[in-house]
């Protein structure tokens, strides 16, 4: 449950005007008027370069004698000190810019290029006043964010249609503009309103978001975030021979990974400017091909603030959020995953380059998306950046007293089945499919999406149905994490319309318990490896609607699962109170690292057993980045806040284990992909599998053997798992006619004998299966 891992408790802060070291910039509020000009008097010659407007587009005006007040502060000023400057506005000259503004259009929401200029559109049902704030970058560099915000006050009589506020501004550049909104409205806390016009807010429909440029850059730790746009770039060239992989769900092998952590470590061998970036991932696609996976499930890539834990003093203020389950905006790709601090426009381009490269390699791209909550935290330590200040009562679930409901474990819960929020989610998903060619989505804490606006569970949630039925999303894989932090556990019963797949948490728990040797788990183990028909054989659902996994980003790594009985989360700063306590792990006789050769060998066997079981199970397998070489987090099962080797892929360890551990994992994946009998698109019938078992009721029996039958050619597969601490003499059935058995796997043997893809001929009636080991035979001519 990702959202249980941390809560967002940061103070909101004000973004006003900038007072530069050498001069002061000013602003006027402008009320748009149909057919008239609004004058943006900057009062300084430097305003010309600030807005990049050509002299022939500037207008002169008569003297302005009004006295005006200006609040100024630096966008990155940690002290947030405000001053009030009162000056006589100077005469406007031919260098003072003016913009023609018109009422604009209600749709599309966000910033869009229209014939007259740039149209800005924002939904807020309860707002009484909306002000558009603009600033323009010079050269696209981070330092140039230190510029003034020009504020345009929208007239509700001219700039509002229904609940949508809108305005068109001419003479704005087609890119390099930062924008946000100040929104005011009722202050009745008990009614659910959280308006604060001192905060400049990110447009929920901003397609790009600007903030700091480099991930983990402490010099801009308290940076703010603003929307931006780019209407100058040519459409991305996907290539003449480009095509979507369109891999059938039954054939998927998913690799859950973190873009940043995949190449951030120096051991990646990449140049520093592309480590931890979208381009860095491209460089390592050959590794994914060597491993054999054909889909990557990427931890959240929507814009988030990695420094959110450090915005106030708290036990976790030493950590940096590296997982990203803390969304600022649902449309913008994470800008700090661009190479060389390139910013949001570069991030968008490089994201597409990454997707194209993966698709060209035959690998699908699934995004882990977080629509259950945002980064804006709770009412005790709010971190207001967007939705809270735009219309808290619409965007979040509230109780009868106007207080935030918290089914996410992170202080707030997105009001997903409100019609406006539902449209936001659908528009976001469509954007990622059409603009970025994403193949599918894994929905974090998806049970939240099954709750009504008051938090009560729904049998037929409108949003879940809409996603399943949407034409643009029709080719997308849609995967639910079918639980939330309010106890709505829907594994096997998630509303699905025969399309939704689910993370099978029952599979994870039952596999862990059987292979580590718990009593009474044999029947459950058999049910899980044969496709969890007890959960998914309903209506038109298929085995592949169950996403089988033993390890995910949340919890122990595979190595730690066999090396630790208890979590070791002291580095998180919460006294070990965070992270799951029900790990179903076994340290094989010693807690943590050891030099004992017997324990190390047992751990190696157990990791192989787990991985083999995953790859021979009916359903869709998913593994975690790093498990292919045995990555350890030293027993930390909640590592979301560590931007270091705890999370980062260790390429030198991969190199050291390439010929043994990695080889076994890669061969197991490739074996699965070569044998369609391991990925049925229908649930197994009696003729599909033979269970070599007459001891089902023996609670202490921890041995299971079975044959999966290949009907067309007799290419049967025999598998046995021994979770006892002693040898079991297994009776090997006769092979199909005109076939013989070849041993492919014995996890007790040393590499390369543990996995021989071409098989080792076997003669005899029995095979001694070692303690805590597994075997696999294949019938060949």
């Amino acid at each position: 449950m990702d959202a249980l891992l941390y809560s967002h408790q940061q103070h909101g802060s004000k973004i006003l005007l900038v007072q530069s070291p050498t001069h002061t910039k000013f602003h006027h509020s402008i009320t748009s008027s149909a057919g008239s000009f609004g004058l943006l008097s900057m009062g300084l010659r430097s305003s010309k370069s600030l807005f990049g407007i050509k002299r022939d587009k500037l207008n002169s005006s008569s003297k302005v004698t009004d006295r005006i007040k200006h609040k100024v502060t630096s966008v990155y000023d940690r002290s947030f000190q405000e001053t009030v400057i009162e000056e006589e506005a100077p005469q406007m000259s031919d260098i003072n810019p003016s913009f023609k503004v018109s009422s604009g259009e209600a749709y599309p929401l966000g910033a869009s290029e229209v014939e007259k200029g740039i149209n800005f559109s924002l939904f807020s049902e309860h707002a009484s006043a909306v002000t558009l704030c603009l600033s323009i970058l010079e050269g696209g560099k981070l330092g140039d964010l230190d510029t003034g915000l020009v504020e345009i006050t929208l007239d509700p009589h001219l700039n509002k249609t229904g609940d949508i506020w809108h305005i068109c501004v001419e003479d704005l550049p087609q890119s390099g503009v930062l924008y946000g909104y100040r929104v005011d409205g009722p202050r009745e806390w008990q009614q659910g309103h959280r308006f604060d016009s001192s905060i400049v807010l990110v447009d929920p429909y901003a397609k790009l978001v600007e903030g700091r440029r480099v991930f983990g850059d402490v010099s801009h730790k308290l940076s703010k975030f603003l929307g931006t746009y780019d209407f100058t770039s040519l459409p991305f060239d996907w290539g003449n021979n480009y095509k979507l992989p369109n891999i059938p769900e039954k054939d998927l092998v998913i690799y859950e990974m973190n873009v940043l952590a995949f190449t951030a470590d120096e051991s990646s061998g990449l140049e520093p400017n592309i480590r931890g970036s979208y381009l860095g991932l491209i460089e390592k696609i050959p590794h994914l091909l060597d491993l054999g996976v054909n889909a990557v499930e990427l931890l959240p890539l929507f814009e988030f603030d990695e420094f959110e834990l450090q915005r106030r003093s708290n036990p976790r203020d030493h950590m940096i959020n590296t997982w990203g389950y803390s969304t600022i905006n649902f449309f913008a790709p994470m800008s700090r995953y661009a190479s060389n601090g390139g910013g949001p426009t570069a991030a968008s381009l490089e994201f597409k380059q990454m997707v194209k490269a993966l698709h060209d390699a035959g690998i699908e791209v699934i995004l882990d998306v977080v629509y259950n909550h945002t980064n804006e935290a709770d009412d005790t330590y709010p971190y207001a950046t967007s939705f809270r200040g735009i219309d808290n009562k619409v965007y979040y679930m509230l109780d009868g007293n106007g207080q935030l409901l918290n089914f996410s474990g992170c202080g707030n819960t997105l009001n997903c089945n409100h019609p406006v929020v539902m449209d936001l989610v659908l528009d976001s998903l469509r954007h990622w499919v059409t603009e970025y060619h994403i193949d599918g989505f894994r929905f974090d804490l998806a049970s939240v999406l099954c709750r009504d606006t008051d938090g009560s569970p729904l049998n037929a949630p409108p949003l879940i149905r809409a996603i399943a039925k949407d034409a643009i999303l029709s080719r997308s894989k849609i995967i639910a994490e079918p639980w939330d932090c309010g106890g709505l556990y829907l594994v096997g019963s998630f509303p699905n319309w025969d399309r939704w797949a689910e993370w099978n948490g029952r599979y994870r728990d039952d596999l862990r318990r059987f292979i580590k040797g718990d009593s009474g788990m044999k029947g459950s183990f058999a049910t899980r490896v044969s496709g969890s028909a007890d959960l998914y054989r309903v209506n038109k659902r298929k085995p592949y609607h169950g996403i089988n996994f033993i390890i995910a980003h949340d919890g122990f790594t595979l190595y730690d699962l066999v090396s630790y009985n208890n979590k070791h989360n002291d580095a998180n700063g919460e006294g070990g109170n965070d992270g799951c306590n029900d790990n179903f792990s076994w340290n094989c006789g010693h807690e943590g690292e050891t030099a004992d050769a017997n324990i190390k060998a047992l751990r190696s066997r157990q990791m192989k057993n787990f991985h083999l079981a995953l790859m021979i199970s009916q359903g869709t397998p998913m593994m975690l980045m790093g498990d292919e070489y045995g990555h350890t987090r030293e027993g930390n099962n909640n590592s979301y806040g560590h931007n270091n080797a705890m999370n980062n892929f260790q390429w030198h360890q991969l190199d050291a284990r390439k010929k043994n551990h990695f080889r076994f994992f890669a061969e197991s994946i490739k074996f699965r992909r070569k044998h369609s009998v391991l990925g049925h698109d229908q649930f197994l019938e009696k003729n599909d599998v033979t269970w070599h078992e007459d001891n089902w009721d023996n609670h202490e029996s921890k041995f299971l053997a079975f044959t999966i039958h290949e009907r067309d050619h007799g290419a049967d597969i025999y598998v046995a798992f021994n979770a006892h601490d002693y040898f079991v003499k297994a009776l090997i059935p006769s092979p199909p006619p005109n076939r013989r058995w070849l041993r492919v796997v014995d996890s007790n043997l040393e590499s390369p004998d543990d996995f021989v893809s071409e098989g080792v001929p076997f003669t005899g009636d029995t095979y001694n299966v070692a303690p805590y080991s597994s075997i696999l035979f294949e019938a060949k001519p």
Side-chain angles (χ1 to χ4, degrees):
M1 293 181 285
D2 310 297
L4 272 176
L5 304 181
Y6 55 90
S7 62
H8 313 294
Q9 299 179 336
Q10 289 74 32
H11 291 293
S13 53
K14 299 177 181 178
I15 308 175
L16 302 167
L17 288 182
V18 171
Q19 179 163 1
S20 81
T22 57
H23 55 261
T24 304
K25 295 183 173 74
F26 306 100
H27 75 279
H28 285 303
S29 293
I30 307 170
T31 302
S32 67
S33 176
S36 67
F37 286 87
L39 301 180
L40 307 185
S41 174
M42 300 302 294
L44 289 170
R45 193 169 293 271
S46 61
S47 328
K48 178 181 178 182
S49 62
L50 171 67
F51 285 91
I53 299 169
K54 296 180 180 179
R55 185 177 297 269
D56 59 5
K57 288 191 176 182
L58 303 179
N59 297 321
S60 300
S61 177
S62 60
K63 292 183 179 180
V64 179
T65 58
D66 304 34
R67 297 179 65 84
I68 55 176
K69 292 184 178 181
H70 310 275
K71 287 184 177 180
V72 296
T73 187
S74 169
V75 177
Y76 292 113
D77 184 359
R78 293 187 60 175
S79 65
F80 299 159
Q81 293 176 346
E82 297 179 19
T83 60
V84 176
I85 299 175
E86 187 169 324
E87 280 193 29
E88 191 81 22
Q91 292 185 15
M92 293 188 66
S93 67
D94 62 349
I95 66 164
N96 290 340
S98 62
F99 293 103
K100 183 176 181 179
V101 296
S102 58
S103 60
E105 302 293 334
Y107 292 100
L109 292 169
S112 57
E113 188 177 31
V114 295
E115 184 178 353
K116 292 182 179 180
I118 305 299
N119 192 75
F120 298 90
S121 178
L122 177 76
F123 167 88
S124 182
E125 177 183 349
H126 297 101
S128 60
V130 173
T131 300
L132 174 66
C133 304
L134 299 169
S135 183
I136 299 181
L137 294 169
E138 292 183 74
K141 296 182 179 178
L142 180 64
D144 293 334
L145 266 167
D146 261 1
T147 58
L149 291 177
V150 177
E151 303 197 350
I152 307 176
T153 301
L154 277 63
D155 183 341
H157 299 293
L158 299 171
N159 303 113
K160 188 180 180 188
T161 302
D163 295 324
I164 297 177
W165 301 73
H166 46 79
I167 190 168
C168 180
V169 183
E170 293 192 12
D171 295 329
L172 279 178
Q174 293 175 299
S175 64
V177 175
L178 306 181
Y179 77 100
Y181 295 94
R182 298 187 193 276
V183 183
D184 207 352
R187 300 301 174 97
E188 289 87 357
W189 190 276
Q190 70 279 6
Q191 297 299 318
H193 299 302
R194 302 294 186 267
F195 291 106
D196 184 349
S197 59
S198 69
I199 303 172
V200 179
L201 303 164
V202 176
D203 177 9
Y205 273 80
K207 303 305 186 294
L208 301 171
V209 172
E210 177 72 86
R212 71 185 71 85
R213 287 290 180 90
V214 177
F215 191 91
D217 180 3
V218 295
S219 66
H220 291 130
K221 179 185 294 187
L222 297 183
S223 60
K224 310 305 179 296
F225 296 87
L226 293 171
T228 187
Y229 56 77
D230 174 27
F231 299 120
T232 61
S233 297
L234 294 174
F236 182 75
D237 182 7
W238 292 94
N240 294 330
N241 298 320
Y242 167 81
K243 63 180 181 179
L244 298 167
N246 285 326
I247 300 170
E249 288 177 276
K250 70 181 184 65
D251 296 330
L252 287 179
V253 179
I254 301 173
Y255 184 77
E256 192 194 28
M257 64 178 297
N258 183 325
V259 167
L260 174 75
F262 194 47
T263 63
D265 195 81
E266 184 179 357
S267 65
S268 67
L270 301 181
E271 293 297 322
N273 63 339
I274 67 168
R275 291 177 197 159
S277 71
Y278 302 121
L279 298 187
L281 189 151
I282 293 174
E283 294 296 316
K284 295 298 184 179
I285 289 176
H287 168 70
L288 301 175
L289 295 175
D290 287 346
L291 182 60
V293 297
N294 59 12
V296 291
E297 185 175 302
L298 304 177
L299 263 62
L301 293 175
F302 296 176
E303 186 72 31
F304 67 93
D305 180 6
E306 70 271 21
F307 278 122
E308 64 177 1
L309 301 168
Q310 301 190 23
R311 303 185 73 86
R312 66 177 183 87
S313 296
N314 67 89
R316 300 174 298 153
D317 60 12
H318 59 291
M319 293 203 290
I320 296 176
N321 180 354
T322 64
W323 285 0
Y325 290 90
S326 189
T327 308
I328 288 176
N329 173 279
F330 295 114
F331 292 85
M334 180 59 173
S335 60
R336 287 170 298 291
Y337 290 173
S339 64
N340 203 31
T345 300
S348 177
L349 172 63
E350 293 175 9
F351 190 107
K352 293 171 185 174
Q353 291 172 334
M354 177 191 71
V355 173
K356 181 180 185 302
L358 286 164
H359 282 175
D360 288 344
I363 298 173
E364 290 199 336
V365 181
I366 298 169
L367 297 188
D368 192 336
V369 292
V370 188
Y371 292 108
N372 62 81
H373 75 285
T374 75
N375 66 296
E376 294 191 301
D378 56 20
D379 284 333
T380 304
Y381 298 105
Y383 178 23
T385 57
S386 183
F387 311 94
R388 176 183 174 91
I390 292 171
D391 207 328
N392 186 76
K393 194 169 182 177
V394 167
Y395 283 111
Y396 294 114
M397 291 184 190
L398 306 173
D399 65 17
N401 298 314
Q403 304 304 299
L404 292 167
L405 291 170
N406 183 15
F407 296 110
S408 67
C410 295
N412 64 68
T413 309
L414 206 66
N415 198 10
C416 295
N417 284 299
H418 184 288
V420 169
V421 185
M422 186 168 76
D423 283 347
L424 173 77
V425 174
L426 290 167
D427 288 343
S428 167
L429 293 169
R430 294 170 187 141
H431 177 69
W432 290 100
V433 169
T434 57
E435 183 73 14
Y436 294 99
H437 292 199
I438 295 304
D439 301 289
F441 305 92
R442 177 267 188 189
F443 292 78
D444 179 63
L445 296 182
S447 290
V448 165
L449 281 60
C450 299
R451 293 184 180 272
D452 205 348
T453 55
D454 62 358
S456 58
L458 294 165
N459 292 326
L463 177 58
I464 297 300
R465 182 187 186 280
I467 293 171
K469 299 295 185 179
D470 189 85
I472 292 176
L473 304 178
S474 60
R475 73 168 185 84
S476 301
K477 278 78 175 177
I478 47 177
I479 303 168
E481 183 185 35
W483 51 80
D484 66 17
C485 297
L488 191 57
Y489 188 81
L490 297 175
V491 173
S493 58
F494 191 85
N496 56 79
W497 284 272
D498 299 324
R499 276 210 61 204
W500 281 85
E502 302 175 18
W503 267 25
N504 189 348
R506 293 277 299 276
Y507 179 96
R508 172 198 59 205
D509 296 345
D510 291 349
L511 266 286
R512 288 185 178 193
R513 294 187 63 192
F514 174 81
I515 287 179
K516 82 184 185 71
D518 282 0
S519 300
M521 295 304 300
K522 183 169 62 178
S524 296
F525 178 74
T527 299
R528 300 296 154 240
V529 298
S530 59
S532 296
D534 61 327
L535 300 175
Y536 302 116
R537 195 168 193 166
V538 180
N539 298 328
K540 297 180 181 179
R541 302 194 85 184
K542 309 296 183 183
Y544 52 74
H545 285 131
I547 307 299
N548 297 331
F549 69 104
I550 298 162
I551 304 296
H553 67 276
D554 177 6
F556 280 147
T557 65
L558 185 59
Y559 179 88
D560 290 353
L561 185 70
V562 301
S563 303
Y564 294 91
N565 285 349
N566 304 299
K567 64 184 181 184
H568 295 265
N569 294 358
D570 291 343
N572 297 355
E574 298 190 56
N577 292 318
D578 63 311
C580 183
N581 294 315
D582 300 321
N583 297 294
F584 302 121
S585 61
W586 177 43
N587 65 18
C588 296
H590 180 85
E591 189 74 356
E593 296 301 318
T594 180
D596 189 309
N598 290 327
I599 292 177
K600 292 170 73 172
L602 175 56
R603 289 175 178 175
S604 177
R605 291 204 305 277
Q606 288 289 75
M607 286 189 284
K608 294 174 186 176
N609 296 335
F610 277 121
H611 187 66
L612 181 67
L614 180 64
M615 290 304 149
I616 59 90
S617 295
Q618 303 297 319
T620 302
M622 183 191 78
M623 65 171 292
L624 176 66
M625 175 187 88
D627 282 348
E628 68 267 36
Y629 67 82
H631 182 83
T632 180
R633 296 175 183 155
E634 299 178 345
N636 192 317
N637 74 347
N638 190 20
S639 66
Y640 66 93
H642 298 283
N643 185 31
N644 52 36
M646 186 181 292
N647 282 312
N648 292 343
F649 196 100
Q650 301 298 297
W651 292 91
H652 59 285
Q653 292 185 23
L654 171 68
D655 292 339
R657 300 163 188 169
K658 204 72 177 282
K659 295 181 179 180
N660 42 63
H661 183 98
F662 172 82
R663 177 183 172 276
F664 185 96
F665 273 54
E667 291 292 348
S668 298
I669 293 171
K670 292 168 185 175
F671 185 87
R672 176 188 177 85
R673 292 184 60 186
K674 289 178 183 176
H675 295 80
S676 59
V677 71
L678 298 177
H680 279 265
D681 57 3
Q682 301 294 331
F683 287 96
L684 299 181
E685 303 292 345
K686 288 183 178 181
N687 293 334
D688 294 320
V689 60
T690 297
W691 302 99
H692 306 295
E693 180 63 56
D694 56 8
N695 208 13
W696 290 108
D697 296 330
N698 183 350
H699 189 74
E700 297 304 318
S701 177
K702 303 171 186 179
F703 179 87
L704 181 68
F706 54 95
T707 299
I708 304 171
H709 300 294
E710 199 278 316
R711 297 179 181 178
D712 295 332
H713 306 99
D716 290 3
I717 296 173
Y718 169 90
V719 188
F721 290 87
N722 180 18
H724 287 291
D725 58 2
Y726 53 80
F727 278 87
V728 171
K729 181 177 288 188
L731 181 65
I732 306 300
S734 300
N738 302 315
R739 295 264 170 167
R740 57 176 180 158
W741 288 120
L742 281 78
R743 189 200 74 226
V744 177
V745 175
D746 185 339
S747 66
N748 184 53
L749 300 178
E750 296 291 330
S751 181
D753 296 326
D754 55 350
F755 199 113
V756 182
S757 57
E758 65 273 18
V760 177
F762 171 79
T763 57
D765 298 326
T766 61
Y767 192 95
N768 277 342
V769 185
Y772 300 109
S773 71
S774 52
I775 60 172
L776 183 149
F777 289 3
E778 180 181 5
K780 289 186 175 182

